[in-house]
């Protein structure tokens, strides 16, 4: 007898109904819901792009480089002329332009105060306040600094525009996150190019670092480095963020060199271990944590230190709003990691809040325990004696906002 086997084309999407729960009270999206989320994203993206275009045309007349050049070469002879030109462009002066004007050393303190008051949005940057009070040749007196600190609580037409941009960007992210989560948890592997496209759609600094790592995993080292190179171009980074960007780039370059030698991170020479230790010790942020994880996991060279959270600031140059929930956490130290019998969470909150807590889940998203943060500064301990060896995730949360996330390795 003979048998006939008919070929059936496999669908591009997983046809099986999913009952996955992501640990957030959410289940997988069906096809209609995914289409709806994509539609929401594109509507919000259009609104954001339109606002961004208008914003960039207003800031420094649409060309910061030209304005800074004019300040340096054309307007520097007369304080009144410089003052008039700057006030005419307020409240849409960039911090860079204001700094350049002040560094010309021809504006008296009263004029500096006047120009800054007309651009209250720039005053939200603590580094700029420090610049005015400590770093210029004729620092502003304390009473003027107090006036500026009070003024940054007010707003302007620019504030309204920035808030509109923040709202549109938030709506973009809220639509994109479920799509990305669906791709990451689907039992049929998502197309990596689609996943990278949607991560890029988030348009945040952190998403660019994720993209760089994805390029690295795909063996596209040049693209990984190019993505990192673009971060300071696309986003306004403060001094700490610039230092962390360099550390992250150094770590990426290190990993690429190991990969190109057909080895992995468990096969480092003593000299390479020393280089990785230097990278780790140069950062107490993400790059330092990643380097420490490698050293600790493969070579038992572990370092316990507080992971200072990135300061929430501008993502794009046009993006300056601050989510107050996300600045509630001053520091979080997690040790020992890897752990055997227990893990200690040493945290400090910026303010007295009653709805902050630590949530620990397994890698599937199942919540294992929740530890309330009852004090502003405290230590919490998670007993891991009866926890199976493996990788677990922790998140410090306040209400519906996530303040910090990280990974714990349990070993027995």
């Amino acid at each position: 007898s003979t048998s006939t086997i008919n070929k059936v084309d496999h669908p591009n999407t997983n046809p099986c109904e999913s009952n996955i729960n992501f640990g957030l009270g959410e289940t997988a999206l069906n096809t209609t819901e995914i289409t709806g989320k994509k539609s929401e994203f594109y509507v919000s993206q259009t609104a954001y792009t339109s606002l961004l275009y208008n914003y960039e045309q207003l800031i420094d007349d649409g060309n910061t480089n030209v304005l800074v050049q004019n300040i340096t070469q054309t307007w520097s002879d007369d304080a009144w002329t410089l003052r008039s030109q700057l006030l005419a462009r307020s409240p849409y002066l960039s911090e860079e332009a204001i700094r350049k004007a002040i560094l010309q050393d021809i504006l008296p303190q009263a004029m500096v105060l006047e120009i800054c008051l007309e651009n209250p949005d720039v005053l939200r940057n603590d580094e700029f306040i420090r610049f005015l009070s400590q770093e210029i040749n004729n620092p502003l007196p304390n009473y003027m600094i107090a006036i500026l600190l009070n003024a940054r609580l007010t707003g302007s037409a620019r504030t309204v525009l920035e808030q509109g941009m923040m709202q549109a960007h938030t709506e973009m992210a809220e639509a994109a996150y479920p799509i990305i989560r669906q791709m990451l948890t689907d039992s049929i592997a998502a197309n990596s190019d689609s996943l990278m496209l949607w991560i890029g759609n988030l348009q945040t600094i952190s998403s660019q670092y994720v993209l760089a790592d994805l390029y690295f995993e795909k063996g596209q080292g040049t693209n990984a480095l190019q993505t990192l190179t673009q971060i300071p171009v696309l986003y306004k980074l403060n001094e700490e963020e610039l230092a962390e960007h360099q550390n992250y780039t150094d770590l990426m370059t290190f990993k690429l060199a190991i990969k190109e030698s057909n080895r992995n991170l468990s096969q480092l020479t003593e000299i390479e271990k020393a280089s990785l230790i230097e990278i780790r010790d140069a950062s107490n942020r993400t790059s330092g944590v990643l380097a420490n994880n490698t050293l600790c996991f493969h070579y038992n060279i572990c370092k316990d230190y507080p992971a200072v959270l990135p300061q929430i600031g501008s993502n794009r140059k046009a993006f300056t709003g601050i989510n107050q929930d996300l600045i509630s956490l001053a520091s979080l130290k997690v040790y020992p990691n890897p752990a055997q019998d227990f893990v200690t969470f040493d945290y400090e909150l910026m303010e007295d809040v009653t709805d902050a807590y630590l949530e620990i889940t397994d890698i599937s998203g199942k919540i294992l325990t929740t530890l309330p943060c009852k004090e502003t500064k405290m230590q919490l301990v998670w007993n891991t004696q009866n926890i199976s060896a493996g990788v677990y995730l922790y998140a410090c949360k306040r209400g519906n906002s996530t303040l910090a996330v990280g990974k714990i390795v349990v070993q027995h």
Side-chain angles (χ1 to χ4, degrees), residues 195-332:
L195 176 60
M196 294 173 74
L197 171 65
W198 278 99
I199 290 176
N201 281 339
L202 292 175
Q203 298 186 27
T204 63
I205 297 174
S206 59
S207 69
Q208 295 303 304
Y209 283 114
V210 172
L211 277 180
D213 287 334
L214 288 174
Y215 277 126
F216 171 80
E217 295 299 331
K218 292 182 67 175
Q220 299 179 14
T222 300
N223 288 339
L225 290 177
Q226 287 178 345
T227 300
L228 291 177
T229 301
Q230 285 297 305
I231 291 176
V233 178
L234 296 174
Y235 303 94
K236 183 178 181 180
L237 306 183
N238 59 34
E239 292 180 7
E240 290 183 1
E241 290 168 336
L242 283 171
E244 172 60 12
H245 175 263
Q246 184 60 56
N247 292 331
Y248 207 100
T249 302
D250 291 343
L251 179 60
M252 178 63 71
T253 303
F254 178 88
K255 293 194 298 184
L256 287 171
I258 300 302
K259 196 168 189 177
E260 289 171 0
S261 66
N262 295 318
R263 292 177 295 142
N264 58 49
L265 293 173
S266 67
Q267 300 169 309
L268 301 183
T269 66
E270 292 302 317
I271 293 177
E272 289 166 342
K273 291 178 191 176
S275 297
L276 191 57
I277 289 172
E278 288 183 8
I279 294 174
R280 178 196 67 181
D281 292 346
S283 169
N284 59 357
R285 301 179 72 171
T286 304
S287 58
V289 171
L290 293 176
N292 188 57
N293 286 347
T294 297
L295 291 164
C296 195
F297 185 80
H298 292 296
Y299 305 103
N300 200 31
I301 304 174
C302 305
K303 174 184 177 182
D304 290 330
Y305 56 88
V308 179
L309 301 175
Q311 294 299 308
I312 303 301
S314 302
N315 269 341
R316 294 189 66 93
K317 291 180 180 180
F319 207 40
T320 58
I322 298 177
N323 183 339
Q324 294 300 321
D325 281 337
L326 298 182
I327 59 174
S328 298
L329 186 63
S331 64
L332 176 62

Side-chain angles (χ1 to χ4, degrees), residues 110-122:
M111 287 188 182
V112 171
L113 178 65
E114 183 182 16
I115 292 164
C116 291
L117 288 174
E118 289 299 312
N119 294 273
D121 303 274
V122 176

